[in-house]
Amino acid sequence: MSKIRSVIVVVLLWCLASTLFVSAQTRKQWQNSPDIERRVDALLKQMSQAEKVGQLNQYSYGTPTGPATGRSAVEDSIRRGEVGSFLNVTDPALSNRLQRLAMEESRLKIPLIFGLDVIHGYRTIFPVPLALSSTWDAGLVERVSRIAAEEATSAGIRWTFSPMVDIARDPRWGRIVEGAGEDPYLGSIMARAYVRGYQGETFGGPTSMAACAKHYVAYGGAEAGRDYNSVETSERQLREVYLPPFKAAVDEGVATLMSSFNTINGVPATGNEFTLNQVLRREWNFRGFVVSDWGSVGEMMAHGVANDLPTAARKGFLAGVDMDMESNAYFRHIADAVKAGQVPQAAVDEAVRRILRVKIALGLFEKPYVDEKTAITTLPAANVAAAREAAEKSFVLLKNDAASGGGPVLPIRPGVRTVALIGPLADSRADMLGTWSAQGKQDDVVTLRAALEARAKRDGFRLLYAKGTEIRGTSDSGFAEAADAAAQADVVLLALGEDQSWMTGEGASRAFIDLPGNQQQLLERVAAAGKPTALVLFSGRPLALTPVVPRVNAILEAWSPGVQAGPALERVLFGEAAPVGRLTVTFPRSLGQVPIYHSVLNTGRPPIGLDLTRPPTNGGEKYRSRYVDEQNTPLYPFGFGLSYTSFDYSATQSNVQQISAADLNAGRGQVRVTADVKNTGQRAGEEVVQLYIGLRGTSVARPVRELKAFQRVALGPGESRRVEFTIGRNELAIWQRDTTYTVEPAELTIWVAANAGSGTPITISLK
Ligand code: BGC
């Protein structure tokens, strides 16, 4: 009997243990854990007002911008419980020293949380996010962000200000490089992948890092592409374009959000009751906390909605920003605002609760310190391999024509005797890292030149290198050497593009989006040699490549590829790996076309059927939604990318000709769509098969095409595959003014296509 009893006890204990284990495993469980809430309650009861307000402050360590200026003052602030978080502490010894002050010398022993911009890797730097999105590979993005989390947490960083999920459609904006491009569907898939990767399966595991979806919201809509500029957007556009990736991140369990710098229809995003308290908290039930962007609480004075810092503090706080990054506004003024009856005590307690909830869930109370001995300082080989793989998959082949008398220029044929490598990006380590490169080191970077030199030795070809010019250069003194190298070569590789730190990322908007400096002139000079020429383009945004395209045989968009730039490029250029990336941003023909993106409305005067390659010659041609001096279509559409093989699409088929909107609204029924995709070339390749829809006859005008699904298929030469998609309520419902989503009776057009500019549609009736 006693034996049976002990078996039962063991089984019960096992069940209990596995429940605990399962709860720790669940990415979102922490948000509604009674245990965590009890611990928060207990802490809140003991906290003084100063200690509560302390949790709402984040300082950048060592930056002399606040009351905590200077080391000793910071230390005393921590002892008094007046700091909740630091950003920019990357030395594990320093982070332990500061943490010890919080854990051993402060009254309530509430741990600090250390945050950093770990945007595309921590120590091992991967391609920039725009490049990562071009892989259309969520699994890869998740792996990359998992690696970043493993490396960063090894140095004590448990919070990253990533992912940046701002939809961006204006290539003038420098921060377009930090996101996943122009499309809310793809942006949502990527948002989820980053959150899964950073936070891990076990939020609270030792390598789990709180993610931060930023910048909430509509920051990418900056007028004229000028950073920090105002945003005017309709609620529909907000709901259907800018908000969905944030919603996806919240649904995936993201722990924090960052409010953005911009105004939204006149109201600063950092003081925006509607987007923060209404949408994020009440509608989406977000349970983590919101941090301001750097100084964005104080910037409400410059926006003109607060005449002093106390007002700015109050506005940000009441709108739902819990933590103040570097404005020193909450620290100085929230307690007084409570005393004056302008801020309810309950609001302070709630903000503290949200912050403590995340700290407890992350396991910071149990494991506040980092093991200084195991901090990753050199690049693990497996991470380097992942960096190469990610880079290879992020390159987008935009053009690959035959040079006179030969086949396509890429891949470079074996047996090539002389290769000329020309341009200021061929050997620039700093530019390969890209913007926000955390603890990445230039010494880790293998440039294209270094990789080709090694290969030239191995394969026995001659490599001629000429820098040609500087990225922002004006002197043509290097042109002759470059032209000379080209004249001697069988194949010319041009490595041109943008200065990654000056021209891409924050505060790096450009009014011109062509090749900077005199690189276009260099290109023309080199092209005059008449050799098979491929341009490897390093940019953080779509450039207007119209003058470039006719001068070169091939263009490979390489973005900022990270530490393994050279090896990845070398493998793709020589054909060991094929280009598999696809654009997630539209490439314009000229600057005047921007903002440009695929999911536009039709307008009342679409220029359908007109020849837009020439100016209008009569009124019928002129009074259309067009330019008199430029085409409407982009140079390269969203979703575009070539391969070293070719693919054919069969006609799209669907299982129904008609379907009931009412049924769809009730969650019944779906449309099944299929198409056969065939590899018609000589090499294996991968195609990203994309599904677009359009709706007509609806209560509001809908985009001519919207991406709703995609699948990556790998096909051997001659191989064919049937690709199947299902479309239902989620894909077809439209946001309504009463905030519901409804499928409306309409004519539904569907494309299964290689990109947003191709494919033959079929039509289905939504009755
Ligand atoms: C940027 C944020 C970043 C923050 C902290 C701000 O200037 O807009 O994206 O996370 O600084 O470094």
Side-chain angles (χ1 to χ4, degrees):
M1 196 59 197
S2 74
K3 205 168 171 196
I4 294 175
R5 213 177 293 138
S6 54
V7 169
I8 292 172
V9 169
V10 168
V11 169
L12 282 176
L13 283 175
W14 185 83
C15 287
L16 184 68
S18 55
T19 332
L20 290 175
F21 182 68
V22 168
S23 71
Q25 287 253 315
T26 316
R27 221 178 354 258
K28 293 178 229 171
Q29 188 98 20
W30 60 272
Q31 300 184 23
N32 293 294
S33 148
D35 175 48
I36 292 179
E37 300 308 306
R38 268 193 300 274
R39 288 176 66 183
V40 174
D41 288 337
L43 273 169
L44 274 171
K45 274 200 198 107
Q46 301 170 61
M47 291 170 89
S48 67
Q49 186 74 318
E51 285 162 338
K52 287 177 182 173
V53 173
Q55 287 303 308
L56 314 180
N57 289 302
Q58 184 183 55
Y59 297 133
S60 177
Y61 184 82
T63 308
T65 47
T69 305
R71 184 163 299 192
S72 61
V74 170
E75 294 182 350
D76 285 342
S77 300
I78 300 171
R79 286 191 186 97
R80 287 195 298 269
E82 289 172 359
V83 191
S85 171
F86 282 99
L87 72 155
N88 298 334
V89 174
T90 51
D91 172 8
L94 173 62
S95 107
N96 276 344
R97 198 166 63 70
L98 299 175
Q99 192 69 292
R100 233 171 270 125
L101 296 175
M103 297 308 291
E104 291 169 17
E105 298 185 39
S106 82
R107 197 173 70 89
L108 293 174
K109 310 194 179 349
I110 298 174
L112 298 160
I113 179 169
F114 295 99
L116 187 77
D117 291 281
V118 180
I119 306 294
H120 50 111
Y122 176 72
R123 185 68 179 78
T124 308
I125 298 302
F126 292 89
V128 286
L130 186 60
L132 287 175
S133 74
S134 308
T135 65
W136 294 59
D137 186 340
L140 179 79
V141 169
E142 183 176 336
R143 259 197 294 142
V144 160
S145 32
R146 186 88 287 274
I147 290 172
E150 284 163 4
E151 292 188 358
T153 53
S154 90
I157 291 145
R158 299 297 303 279
W159 183 17
T160 176
F161 306 123
S162 173
M164 194 287 237
V165 302
D166 296 312
I167 297 301
R169 297 172 164 184
D170 192 327
R172 289 172 295 188
W173 193 48
R175 302 199 81 169
I176 197 170
V177 69
E178 293 178 51
E182 72 185 41
D183 185 74
Y185 173 78
L186 186 70
S188 301
I189 301 256
M190 292 300 165
R192 283 180 178 268
Y194 280 106
V195 173
R196 280 197 302 272
Y198 290 135
Q199 298 197 173
E201 276 307 314
T202 318
F203 191 63
T207 65
S208 175
M209 178 159 67
C212 179
K214 73 185 188 187
H215 307 81
Y216 193 72
V217 56
Y219 184 33
E223 250 174 40
R226 208 178 67 227
D227 209 359
Y228 318 119
N229 205 4
S230 321
V231 176
E232 289 295 313
T233 175
S234 65
E235 185 174 354
R236 174 170 305 284
Q237 192 181 46
L238 201 58
R239 298 274 189 182
E240 295 190 338
V241 176
Y242 294 117
L243 286 171
F246 288 96
K247 173 72 162 56
V250 168
D251 287 346
E252 201 61 52
V254 74
T256 72
L257 268 76
M258 184 185 291
S259 68
S260 54
F261 289 123
N262 53 289
T263 53
I264 305 166
N265 305 330
V267 181
T270 293
N272 204 304
E273 163 74 27
F274 172 68
T275 56
L276 291 163
N277 279 340
Q278 172 58 27
V279 175
L280 180 63
R281 280 352 181 312
R282 288 199 278 278
E283 292 180 25
W284 299 352
N285 198 21
F286 173 64
R287 306 267 296 165
F289 70 87
V290 176
V291 63
S292 77
D293 203 343
W294 182 291
S296 67
V297 172
E299 285 176 19
M300 284 196 281
M301 294 188 287
H303 281 301
V305 301
N307 283 339
D308 50 32
L309 198 61
T311 312
R314 218 166 54 234
K315 285 206 166 183
F317 187 74
L318 288 176
V321 172
D322 305 299
M323 188 182 274
D324 169 5
M325 181 197 287
E326 278 290 327
S327 287
N328 296 297
Y330 290 5
F331 172 73
R332 289 185 182 147
H333 302 297
I334 289 298
D336 285 348
V338 176
K339 257 197 222 137
Q342 295 164 323
V343 164
Q345 182 63 46
V348 175
D349 290 0
E350 182 56 31
V352 175
R353 174 180 296 280
R354 292 169 184 151
I355 292 165
L356 292 179
R357 186 181 284 144
V358 170
K359 287 185 174 182
I360 293 171
L362 259 183
L364 283 173
F365 281 80
E366 287 74 26
K367 209 174 169 301
Y369 302 112
V370 51
D371 184 347
E372 291 169 37
K373 290 190 298 294
T374 55
I376 291 170
T377 49
T378 54
L379 301 195
N383 299 2
V384 173
R388 195 194 75 190
E389 181 194 339
E392 271 172 32
K393 291 185 170 166
S394 73
F395 302 148
V396 185
L397 185 62
L398 296 175
K399 174 177 179 173
N400 194 18
D401 285 357
S404 58
V409 169
L410 297 178
I412 297 169
R413 255 155 282 289
V416 65
R417 284 196 307 269
T418 307
V419 176
L421 175 63
I422 296 166
L425 273 306
D427 202 23
S428 169
R429 292 175 160 194
D431 288 295
M432 298 303 106
L433 291 177
T435 185
W436 294 118
S437 49
Q439 290 295 291
K441 308 266 180 284
Q442 290 189 28
D443 285 352
D444 298 332
V445 174
V446 183
T447 62
L448 180 55
R449 182 185 181 191
L452 289 188
E453 269 170 358
R455 186 174 189 115
K457 271 204 200 104
R458 231 168 39 234
D459 289 6
F461 62 81
R462 193 158 66 111
L463 180 71
L464 305 173
Y465 165 72
K467 189 172 185 184
T469 187
E470 301 297 330
I471 300 175
R472 290 182 280 149
T474 48
S475 160
D476 62 4
S477 61
F479 283 20
E481 186 198 7
D484 186 48
Q488 297 177 54
D490 304 315
V491 174
V492 179
L493 294 174
L494 276 162
L496 308 178
E498 297 186 295
D499 175 328
Q500 305 298 307
S501 58
W502 179 252
M503 299 181 154
T504 81
E506 187 174 355
S509 295
R510 292 185 67 196
F512 302 94
I513 52 168
D514 40 17
L515 281 174
N518 59 4
Q519 294 181 86
Q520 177 72 26
Q521 289 89 309
L522 172 67
L523 176 143
E524 289 173 17
R525 183 76 183 271
V526 167
K531 298 300 176 66
T533 301
L535 166 64
V536 181
L537 183 62
F538 299 89
S539 72
R541 56 163 61 75
L543 298 184
L545 295 173
T546 299
V548 169
V549 174
R551 310 274 182 173
V552 293
N553 307 101
I555 303 175
L556 184 69
E557 173 59 76
W559 317 109
S560 309
V563 283
Q564 282 285 290
L569 279 167
E570 176 221 325
R571 279 170 49 84
V572 170
L573 293 170
F574 283 82
E576 274 106 37
V580 295
R582 301 290 186 269
L583 296 179
T584 59
V585 276
T586 302
F587 272 51
R589 292 177 190 275
S590 34
L591 179 60
Q593 289 182 313
V594 310
I596 186 169
Y597 53 95
H598 73 282
S599 55
V600 292
L601 305 187
N602 202 34
T603 79
R605 294 189 178 189
I608 292 168
L610 296 186
D611 179 3
L612 300 183
T613 59
R614 54 171 179 73
T617 54
N618 59 50
E621 291 187 352
K622 182 153 189 279
Y623 295 102
R624 295 276 155 185
S625 182
R626 63 172 297 174
Y627 302 97
V628 293
D629 53 2
E630 181 56 285
Q631 305 181 48
N632 284 20
T633 54
L635 188 58
Y636 300 114
F638 175 84
F640 179 80
L642 299 170
S643 175
Y644 287 157
T645 184
S646 48
F647 299 95
D648 240 20
Y649 284 65
S650 74
T652 304
Q653 312 267 332
S654 73
N655 65 333
V656 291
Q657 251 70 65
Q658 182 178 315
I659 188 161
S660 145
D663 279 355
L664 287 164
N665 280 321
R668 284 189 303 271
Q670 51 191 18
V671 183
R672 226 179 43 245
V673 183
T674 57
D676 296 327
V677 181
K678 182 170 184 190
N679 179 346
T680 51
Q682 308 297 312
R683 286 181 59 120
E686 284 184 29
E687 174 73 331
V688 178
V689 182
Q690 299 156 38
L691 179 130
Y692 295 89
I693 67 154
L695 292 167
R696 293 166 54 83
T698 40
S699 57
V700 289
R702 302 301 302 168
V704 286
R705 275 196 194 201
E706 288 180 273
L707 181 73
K708 289 295 173 180
F710 63 88
Q711 281 177 42
R712 178 178 280 286
V713 291
L715 295 172
E719 195 186 342
S720 178
R721 176 103 33 95
R722 174 149 304 170
V723 180
E724 180 174 320
F725 297 97
T726 49
I727 312 174
R729 190 175 190 284
N730 283 349
E731 289 71 30
L732 299 172
I734 302 172
W735 177 76
Q736 310 288 327
R737 288 234 138 261
D738 65 1
T739 78
T740 59
Y741 287 79
T742 312
V743 182
E744 298 183 10
E747 184 185 287
L748 164 66
T749 309
I750 301 172
W751 295 258
V752 175
N755 59 64
S758 70
T760 314
I762 56 165
T763 304
I764 290 169
S765 165
L766 294 180
K767 283 278 183 222

